[in-house]
Structures are given as structure tokens and as C-alpha cells.
Amino acid sequence: MPRDPRYDILFEPVRIGPVTAKNRFFQVPHCNGMGMSFPTSMAVMRHVKAEGGWAVVCTEETGIHPSSDISPYVEGRLWDDRDIPVFARMNEGIHAHGALAGIELTHTGARDACLYSREVPLAVAHLPVAAGDHPTQARAMDKADIRAYRRWHREAALRARRAGFDLIYVYCRPGTSLNGDFLSRARNQRTDEYGGSLENRLRLTREVLEEAREAVGDSCAIALRFAVDYAARPDGTADMEESHRVVELLAELPDLWDVNIRGWHRDSMPSRFGREGAQEALVSFVKKLTTRPVVGVGRFTSPDSMVSQIRRGILDFIGAARPSIADPFLPRKIEEGRLDDIRECIGCNICVSADFTMVPLRCTQNPTMGEEWRRGWHPERIPPRGSTEPVLVVGAGPAGLECARALGQRGYEVTLAEARRHPGGRVGEESRLPGLAEWGRVRDYRVQQIGKMANLRTYLESRLDAQAVMELGLPRVILATGARWRRDGVGRTHIAPLPGLSSLAVYTPEDVMAGRRPEGPVVIYDDDRYYMGGVLAEKLRLEGLDVTLVTPAADVSAWTHATLEQGWIEQRLSDLGVAIVEKHAIAACEAGGLRLAHVRSGREKLLPCVSLVLVTMRLPDDALYAELASDPRRLEAAGIRSLTRIGDCLAPSTIAAAVYAGHRAAREMDAPMAEEVPFKRELIALEPLNPAAGENPDRYLGSE
Ligand code: ADP
Ligand code: SF4
């Protein structure tokens, strides 16, 4: 289908200094947990973005010197020439698809503790390092340090050009970068020419920009990434007047302004707390003060909002990290008039969790993310079917829907049976909880795709028992029947059912989602520690109940630190008046309330309540599997050649894990048996040992 002319403006080329972007789609820097540890995985992931039509594809933050060692986080590193080949590999593939390659050079100042390099971190002032609460301080830089930093940045820019980059970033965000910390009035208390007035605080950024331009600006564009609301007034609100001055002072110095906002939890706002385009009010002034192109983000997935940003003069480039992760082919799909095929980001921030957990990037919507090279999974292409045998998929939750969709894409004849009236499984229910509506996109994308496939038949309101599965007699059976929350309190903290449960009205999350309304006061007991406990507390409180959330963890919804949601959740619950009791487990349930015990001291206290919602763990809904698997001969007689269970009915986990399991089962259908390690690995290249230095030659390297 030709593209809608309304979107033509998105495909105009835009000049950035000495280079030209072929359209307005710009993959802004984003971390990916692969970077320096799994460089080929990182490179091929970026190649796929370029293939998907992004005109500019950038790296993640890339440290320029061992005094800015971002470890243990797995990000980029360009410390010396030996790091060049990693980026050269990335850039060759990006260029092959006609895109520009950008690198976000940074020195993180007082943010990182330099755990690997063991260098002393350098900063604008003596400051404790921010990341990880490490008991380490950065030392204040003197003039010689500042000169050294400027030299490192310049040399990194030269190295970046040798690696093939077209766009070189200077990073300026307080709390995250040296330039930003020098700019920050709060952090910069210096009395030399780098402190005091705004011009002085901006001096370092200006120098680094000018020196990058002087070093590589004839052939590379120089971008400035700037957090526009960085300056806080004493009352905590942003001092936007100072930000305006910064843009006025530097207006034409960079070739490109990449603007965002302070704090990763605000910049990558979870969908539960902010919508598409949420940064507009803060960043819109920048374009009025510079003629240089401006890129900004806002989890843009709708081409209409993108066009609106351009037409109204807010942005020149549609920047995206998460939308490009959820759908690396977003630009191509708009260009080809295939809007239905866009896999829209749901704003769950599972992608962000990969950075905090230091593992390769993953995405709820896009199961191929991070697997492009190591498993050879492409987000759009999939091998054709390996046999003509039809497949039965039971259960249309995220696992079953993705499995059926991908099998359908491969060309299999697929029958998808779902017990309920609506497809979606847990996503259908959970997306009705406060703030989680966008999570329904996991279901909507797949239902939409499945609806287009003639080889796929969906039967709703069709609960299958073992007899029905046998009668259907389809040779391949995949069960994706999901899981249910436990009703007895067993979970991380309690290995046996809670004593005295019968003295209270007990509910599970499914009960509450199905509309069963507890009587207050109600306690939500959250030993699951992800979002469910917090979001149920919010729901019941909004319904007017007196709610207390009790958790054995140190924080409400503790795991959501990894998805940048924790602070928002805690604030929302406290604004709503939900009482929070942390570090307490249930010692016993009694008529009229709970006896809680502090998880360290064991000291007990009473908490009156009438109802108890238990959010502890789930158990697979695998009765159908057990019955079918118990009689292999009957299966064989019915013509069933393979029986598999996937997703939550194998082992309950995240929605992302269920989608991944569904995709993997579809890919592996009729595929050759996987090796013991079912993906390619990048091994560390061993340095040769030096016998002259007393190092023992290693006979496995053949140097015996
Ligand atoms: P997952 O996250 O693994 O996809 P869900 O719990 O979200 O799991 O989805 C499982 C789906 O399977 C639910 O929609 C449920 O109604 C459906 N289901 C469970 N048992 C059967 C069955 N015997 N026949 C048909 N559908 C079933
Ligand atoms: Fe979007 Fe969630 Fe995927 Fe991240 S993990 S890109 S937030 S859908």
C-alpha cells in the first residue's frame, strides 16, 4: 500500500551540519545491556533498526575514559583505539542501510564508582557517587583535570570518526554527565572561571562542543544532548528561564539539539504515569531559539502525533528509544502504509530493566529484541513452515496469541482455542486496572495480525478438555493455558500456607479483577513485589476502601525500581492515602485482623482488617497438560505427535516472558534440535600470555 500523503513530511530529508538524514526518524541513544560485553549482538540489533528505516541510529552512553567507568552496567566504551572495531562493526551495517550512525560520548562524572577501572571518579566538586549508593566519592577536578577531560573528549571524537560515526554527541545532563554537573548551580560551587555565573558554568560544555567541532566537525555533525528542565529552583520546580538562556547562549553551536528532561524515570516515563508526547510542554521552546534541527522523544507510536510535532514546530526529528525497540520497523511500516502492522510500545519499561539487571535488552512487545544475532531472529521475517501438519494452540493469552501469530506467519494451519469470550488472557484483565490500558496493545497487535491470516482460525468461548483435544486430533498441540494466583499465602516469604486464613475474607488478584469487591478495611499482602500489589491497592483505594499495603520487601512494588516505576507507585499510593507497611510478613491471620512480624527483628504488631488480598505467587494452570501427558498411548492413537506447554502454564513469569515463550515455540516448530546452548555466544578473546613476564603459557592455546 502506498503511504498516506499526510505522512510525507516524516520522510523529508533533514540536514544536520555536514551530513543529511534521509528522513525524520531518529533512534536516540538507548542502553541495551549488550554494548561492550556482547558487541555483535549490539551491532546487529542496531543494523535491524537501520533496516527498519530509522535515518539515524545511535549508540548508548559511551564512556570516554577509565575515570568514567560505567560498570557494572553494560554500556558503550571508547577508551582507546582497541575499542574502535566494536563500533566499526556496528556502523558498517548501519551505513549499508543508508542510515547515519551517532555516538553518545560521555564522561559520567560523579555518577559512577569506576568499579572495574578502580580509578578515582572525577567531578565538578567532591561528591558521593550517585549510582548504586557505593561508599565512594568523586574528587573535585582541578584545572589540569579539566584540560585532561577536554583532551579525552576530543580524542574520543577523533576515534569515533575513525570508527565511522557521522554524528558525535556532547552530553549535558546534570547527575549523569560531567558537562551537566558543571552546568548545575546546585552541584557547581566552584569559585574559578568554571563556576558562578551561567556563562562560567556553561564554559565546559561550550569548550567541549567547540573542540569536537574543530576536531571532526568538517565531516561529522555535532549534537548536544540537553536536559531542558535541569535547573531546579529552591522550591523544586524547574527554572526554565535559565534553560532558555542556555539555549540562547549555545543556539547555533551544535549542529543538532537533542532535548529531553531530567531523571530517567521522567524521561522514560512508564505508561502508567504518562502518555505519548508528555515532554512537549517542557521542550517546545528550544526550536524557537535555534535554527538547528531539534530531536526529542515522547514514546511516539502514532504517525499523526509525529506529524503534529513537526507541523506545529515542536521538533524536526521524531526521536525514539522505546518505540524503536518495540518495533524496529516503525518507519518502514508508516512509509509502506502498513499502520496496522505497527507493534506499539506499551510503556512497561521491561527494556529498562535489562540495564539495571545488566543483561541483553528484552521487550514485552518485541520478542526478537536482543536475539537478532545470537538466535538469528528478525523482527519481521521468519522461516517458512517446516511441515504441513496443523497445530492446535490452547489459550489466547500473550503466550498463545504470539505463538499462533508467529506460526501463522510461518504458514502453518493453526487452530487457536480460548475458553473466555475475549482473547488476551491476563493482559485482557490487567489492562483494565488503573493506568494499565496501554498494556492491552500486547493483545491488540496480535489479534489484529491474526485477523488477517486465512490459515488461522480462532474459537472463543471454547474451553477444551483432554477429550476435546483428542477428538480434534491435530498432530501438534501447544498449551498456553496460563496460571492462577495462590490463595494460601505461599510465596517468597512463606513456604507453608498462612495459619488462620479462614478467619478473614480472602481474595486473589483474579477475584478483584473479576469485580469481587472486598469489604474494608482491606490489606493487600504483596510478596510478589512487582506491579500487581501496588496497582490493586490503587484500584481498591480509588473505589473508596480503606487500604493498607503490607510487604516483606523494603519498598512498595520493590522490583519496579528496575522499570523506573517504583517512585511513581509509592507517590501515587501515598497521595491516595493508602497506608504502607514495609518489611513485615504475616505471622498469623486472626478474626478481625493480622498479626504482622518485622522481617528482621520478628517484633509483632496487630493490623485490624476484614479482608485480605494475597499477592504472593501463581501456580500453572496445567491440569489439561497433566491429563494429556499422562497417557502417551492415547495421544498417539488420537494422532497427536507433539504436546508442549509454554508461558505461564509452564512457569509463571512476566508478560514479556510469555510472549517470548510463544515466539520461541513457533520458531522451533519443525526446526532442527537446538544445541545444548541454544544461541550463539560471544566469548572473550584471551590475550596471549607472556612467558618473559613469568606468565605460564596456556596449553589450551597451543602455546605449550
Ligand atoms: P500466558 O501469560 O502464558 O499467555 P494467560 O493466563 O494470560 O497465560 O492466558 C491463558 C489463557 O488460556 C487464558 O485466556 C485462559 O482463559 C485460556 N485457557 C486456559 N485453559 C484453557 C482451556 N482448557 N481451553 C481453552 N482456553 C484455556
Ligand atoms: Fe515498550 Fe515495554 Fe518494549 Fe520497553 S519493553 S520498548 S516499554 S513495550
Side-chain angles (χ1 to χ4, degrees), residues 133 197 223 302 327 421 455 461 523 570 696:
D133 288 340
S197 68
S302 142
D327 197 338
R421 191 131 49 98
N455 50 335
E461 296 185 88
V523 168
E570 190 163 338
N696 263 339

Side-chain angles (χ1 to χ4, degrees), residues 393-401 417-420 422-429 459 462-465 469 479-484 618 621 624 646-651 653-655 658-659:
V393 178
V394 184
L401 282 173
E418 166 54 50
R420 296 180 216 184
H422 301 288
R426 65 183 286 198
V427 166
E429 290 167 16
Y459 297 94
S462 305
R463 175 171 294 282
L464 301 189
D465 56 15
V469 172
L479 302 182
T481 49
R484 317 230 118 237
R618 293 180 295 153
D621 208 343
L624 179 58
I646 58 168
D648 291 337
C649 88
L650 177 65
S653 182
T654 56
I655 299 168
V659 171

Side-chain angles (χ1 to χ4, degrees), residues 449-460:
Q449 295 295 305
I450 285 172
K452 293 190 200 175
M453 294 177 183
N455 50 335
L456 231 146
R457 279 174 305 275
T458 305
Y459 297 94
L460 298 174

Side-chain angles (χ1 to χ4, degrees), residues 23 81 161 271 544 661 671:
N23 63 38
D81 288 2
R161 177 163 69 181
S271 61

Side-chain angles (χ1 to χ4, degrees), residues 169-174 183 202 205 223-231 242-247 250 257-262 283 285-286 295:
Y169 268 79
V170 170
Y171 196 18
C172 182
R173 186 192 215 175
L183 176 58
L202 201 50
T205 302
L224 177 63
R225 184 165 235 209
F226 175 54
V228 295
D229 60 342
Y230 74 95
E242 181 165 307
S243 303
H244 282 240
R245 283 290 297 141
V246 169
V247 180
L250 299 180
W257 282 85
D258 177 337
V259 291
N260 63 358
I261 60 176
R262 162 179 56 89
V283 305
F285 75 92
V286 177
V295 57

